[in-house]
Amino acid sequence: MDDKFLIHVDIADRSYGLWIDRSDEQLAREAAKQIRNKMLQYRNRFNKSDVDVKDLLAMVTLQLSMSNLQLEDRNDTSPFAEKMRELGDEIYGYLNNR
């Protein structure tokens, strides 16, 4: 059973149709809302209503991408996995030498 359906999200005064899983609907709508809110923040920061939409989208994209990269760094478990392997090897070596 295909659980995808069409939703429409508005970004930068345009409507985009997306085929998504039903379980992702709220996430997609919240993401579009976050983009709209951040664009409004940048528009207000520059106190201009004539700021090019492309410039606003570029700034929002950069900000969200930087946030995403910071989250990826925080979720990097490879140093912990390596340390666990080292500790496991030490324990295994200790038990074998007993």
Side-chain angles (χ1 to χ4, degrees):
M1 181 176 153
D2 192 8
D3 202 24
K4 291 194 181 284
F5 74 114
L6 180 66
I7 67 167
H8 292 274
V9 296
D10 294 324
I11 300 172
D13 298 326
R14 293 187 68 179
S15 181
Y16 296 91
L18 304 172
W19 286 96
I20 61 167
D21 292 329
R22 288 191 184 279
S23 60
D24 291 335
E25 178 183 8
Q26 189 61 32
L27 183 66
R29 293 189 187 282
E30 286 296 320
K33 181 180 177 182
Q34 184 180 44
I35 292 168
R36 288 191 306 271
N37 289 340
K38 291 200 178 295
M39 287 182 68
L40 182 60
Q41 288 173 359
Y42 278 111
R43 189 178 302 273
N44 290 337
R45 183 180 295 173
F46 295 111
N47 291 325
K48 292 183 190 175
S49 59
D50 62 339
V51 175
D52 190 340
V53 170
K54 291 177 187 176
D55 293 330
L56 293 172
L57 285 171
M59 290 182 279
V60 169
T61 302
L62 179 62
Q63 181 183 5
L64 293 176
S65 184
M66 288 174 62
S67 295
N68 186 43
L69 290 171
Q70 288 172 338
L71 288 173
E72 284 179 9
D73 286 344
R74 281 192 221 152
N75 290 327
D76 182 12
T77 59
S78 58
F80 301 109
E82 181 60 33
K83 189 64 173 176
M84 293 298 288
R85 273 191 291 279
E86 289 174 14
L87 292 171
D89 291 344
E90 284 182 39
I91 291 170
Y92 183 74
Y94 174 78
L95 293 175
N96 277 342
N97 291 329
R98 274 185 91 202

